[in-house]
Amino acid sequence: DVDRLRGEGRAVALVFWQTWCASCEGEAGELARAAGANADRIAFFGVVPGPDGSVDDAEVRATAVEWGLPYPQVRDRDLGLTERFGVRGTPTIVVIGRGGEVVYRDHRPPADWSAVP
């Protein structure tokens, strides 16, 4: 849960994506590198929105491996996270700072992750 991770002193990056999203695939390598380089201060999570009838868990797992995503993937079956952070499409990257505020939200990763609090 986002609040528990912030309690560990790290910001949280939520990467909303879908298996069929070409832009998501295009950003995957950059996000994987960012997750590794910032692991001590930012916890990365992939978030795949959609109910079981529209998202296949096996496909999500296989795609995450194929794209080299090193961070945990979570399913947002009830769209709670998607709605909470106002996500309207994929890819969307939302970074929640250690204080609980959204410090970054965009369809592209930040140009400089070290500037993200």
Side-chain angles (χ1 to χ4, degrees), residues 2-3 6 10-14 42 84-85 94-104 116-117:
V2 171
D3 296 321
R6 283 190 304 97
R10 291 192 288 171
V12 175
L14 301 176
I42 304 173
R84 177 177 175 185
F85 295 107
V94 176
V95 181
I96 301 106
R98 290 184 291 272
E101 70 287 356
V102 173
V103 295
Y104 182 87
V116 175

Side-chain angles (χ1 to χ4, degrees), residues 17 19 48 55-65 73-75:
W17 68 283
T19 58
V48 181
V55 177
D56 180 288
D57 285 338
E59 186 178 356
V60 169
R61 286 189 299 274
T63 302
V65 169
Q73 305 302 314
V74 296
R75 288 282 315 287

Side-chain angles (χ1 to χ4, degrees), residues 3-99:
D3 296 321
R4 180 181 57 77
L5 289 164
R6 283 190 304 97
E8 294 174 2
R10 291 192 288 171
V12 175
L14 301 176
V15 180
F16 291 83
W17 68 283
Q18 294 287 348
T19 58
W20 45 261
C21 172
S23 297
C24 300
E25 182 177 10
E27 294 178 356
E30 181 180 346
L31 288 165
R33 287 186 295 278
N38 295 283
D40 59 331
R41 56 186 210 83
I42 304 173
F44 281 71
F45 291 90
V47 180
V48 181
D52 286 333
S54 67
V55 177
D56 180 288
D57 285 338
E59 186 178 356
V60 169
R61 286 189 299 274
T63 302
V65 169
E66 179 184 334
W67 293 358
L69 302 177
Y71 40 83
Q73 305 302 314
V74 296
R75 288 282 315 287
D76 187 18
R77 288 177 171 84
D78 67 358
L79 303 180
L81 284 172
T82 301
E83 291 172 4
R84 177 177 175 185
F85 295 107
V87 174
R88 300 285 177 245
T90 59
T92 297
I93 297 108
V94 176
V95 181
I96 301 106
R98 290 184 291 272

